[in-house]
Amino acid sequence: MKLEIYQIDAFAHAIFEGNPAAVCVLDTWLPDVLMQAIAGEMNLAETAFLVKKNDGYRIRWFTPTTEVKLCGHATLASAHVLYEHLNHKKEPIRFYSQSGVLIASPESANYISLDFPANPPKPLDLTQEMIDALGGNPISALADDDLIVVYSDATEIEILSPDISKVAKLPYRGVIATAPGNGNGYDFVCRFFAPAVGVNEDPVTGSAYTELAPYYFDYFKKQKFLARQMSKRGGDVNVTFAGDRVHIAGAAKTALIGSLYLK
C-alpha cells in the first residue's frame, strides 16, 4: 500500500521556517496504531490525517507519541494541501475534530485563517516548581489545557533555557512562556514546550493562541495582534480575538511531497 504524504512548513514565508507538519489525505481511517506509527516515522510535531466528509473533512492529529485533540499548524498545513495540491476551491473548509468544527479560510498573500474555539486561561499561583522548570524571572501564571507562564520582557523569552525533564513533570499538555513585545514590532511573543506529548519545543503552536488571545485581549484591551513564536525556526502569527472564537492566520510553504510504502 502506497500513501501520499505532504510535508508543509506552516506559519512560514519560506521553507525551513515555521512549523513542519505532515499531511495524509485518506479514503477511510487507518487503524489508530498505524496512524500513530506513521506519525512516529515522520517524527514531526504533528501529522494530520484527513477523511472526506460530505461538507468538509474529518481531521485527526498525532504527535510522534500520542493523539492530540487540537492542533493549529497541522490544520493550516492541511488546508494548504487541499488548496494548493488537491484542487479544492478557494473557499472555507470545514474540519470536524475532537475540538468541534474548525474552519479554514483563504486570505490574501497566501495566508490562511483558522477559526478555532477560544480557551480562556484562569489565573493560578506561580509555584517554585514552575520557576525551576522554566527559569528566568516569571511574574504570573495561568492555565487551561496548557500552563501559561508570563514574563515582563520579550528578551527573557528568547533566552530561556528550560529544564525539559522538569517541564515534563508539570501536569499540563504543554507549557507556554510569553511576554509583551515591548517595542520589537510584535504585540506579544511566546515559546511552547510539550515534552509530555513528545515535543520538547514546538516551533509554532497554533492552538496556543486560543489561550493567549483571551489573555492579551484583557491585557491590551484590543482584539487584533501580531505575535511571534521565538523558537529556533520562528514564525509570525496574526491573531484576532472574537469572543468565544479565535482567528489564527499565517502562510504556508510546501517542503516535500512523497510516498510512504506501508507494505
Side-chain angles (χ1 to χ4, degrees):
M1 177 181 175
K2 186 171 72 172
L3 180 66
E4 192 164 57
I5 195 160
Y6 302 81
Q7 184 169 317
I8 308 299
D9 290 339
F11 298 107
H13 296 285
I15 61 169
F16 312 131
E17 297 178 357
N19 200 352
V23 178
C24 299
V25 182
L26 307 171
D27 294 326
T28 59
W29 294 120
L30 299 171
D32 286 8
V33 65
L34 181 53
M35 289 191 288
Q36 185 63 74
I38 292 169
E41 182 73 11
M42 296 309 298
N43 199 32
L44 300 172
E46 260 89 15
T47 297
F49 296 91
L50 312 180
V51 171
K52 186 74 176 74
K53 184 180 170 71
N54 288 340
D55 62 343
Y57 291 83
R58 296 182 177 90
I59 188 167
R60 295 172 69 182
W61 310 275
F62 291 79
T63 77
T65 62
T66 192
E67 185 174 7
V68 296
K69 69 178 184 179
L70 185 64
C71 177
H73 84 279
T75 306
L76 190 150
S78 297
H80 174 84
V81 167
L82 294 172
Y83 289 137
E84 298 300 323
H85 300 291
L86 297 180
N87 300 314
H88 195 286
K89 292 181 180 179
K90 291 295 180 72
E91 59 187 27
I93 302 170
R94 297 171 69 87
F95 291 105
Y96 293 86
S97 78
Q98 289 186 44
S99 295
V101 178
L102 313 173
I103 298 175
S105 301
E107 293 192 344
S108 60
N110 294 319
Y111 269 59
I112 295 170
S113 178
L114 306 176
D115 183 334
F116 274 25
N119 295 301
K122 296 180 180 179
L124 73 165
D125 292 334
L126 181 64
T127 67
Q128 192 61 46
E129 183 182 22
M130 298 172 190
I131 297 170
D132 290 344
L134 282 173
N137 298 290
I139 57 175
S140 63
L142 308 94
D144 186 64
D145 286 341
D146 304 308
L147 173 66
I148 299 174
V149 180
V150 181
Y151 293 76
S152 60
D153 192 278
T155 302
E156 277 203 89
I157 305 303
E158 187 173 14
I159 65 174
L160 276 183
S161 182
D163 186 324
I164 293 298
S165 64
K166 292 181 178 179
V167 172
K169 294 177 182 177
L170 296 171
Y172 300 94
R173 178 192 70 152
V175 178
I176 304 166
T178 189
N182 297 346
N184 63 357
Y186 297 97
D187 293 295
F188 64 88
V189 301
C190 69
R191 290 170 68 187
F192 186 91
F193 309 99
V197 295
V199 182
N200 284 353
E201 181 170 3
D202 197 32
V204 189
T205 314
S207 62
Y209 298 92
T210 67
E211 300 163 287
L212 291 169
Y215 170 75
Y216 281 108
F217 170 75
D218 289 338
Y219 183 91
F220 286 114
K221 306 302 180 188
K222 67 176 189 176
Q223 292 178 284
K224 293 182 179 293
F225 311 97
L226 176 59
R228 176 74 177 174
Q229 196 148 335
M230 303 181 82
S231 63
K232 183 177 180 180
R233 292 174 64 102
D236 291 349
V237 184
N238 290 329
V239 184
T240 302
F241 178 65
D244 62 349
R245 308 293 293 184
V246 175
H247 300 158
I248 306 157
K253 287 288 185 179
T254 301
L256 178 69
I257 303 173
S259 298
L260 183 65
Y261 291 86
L262 301 179
K263 290 185 179 179

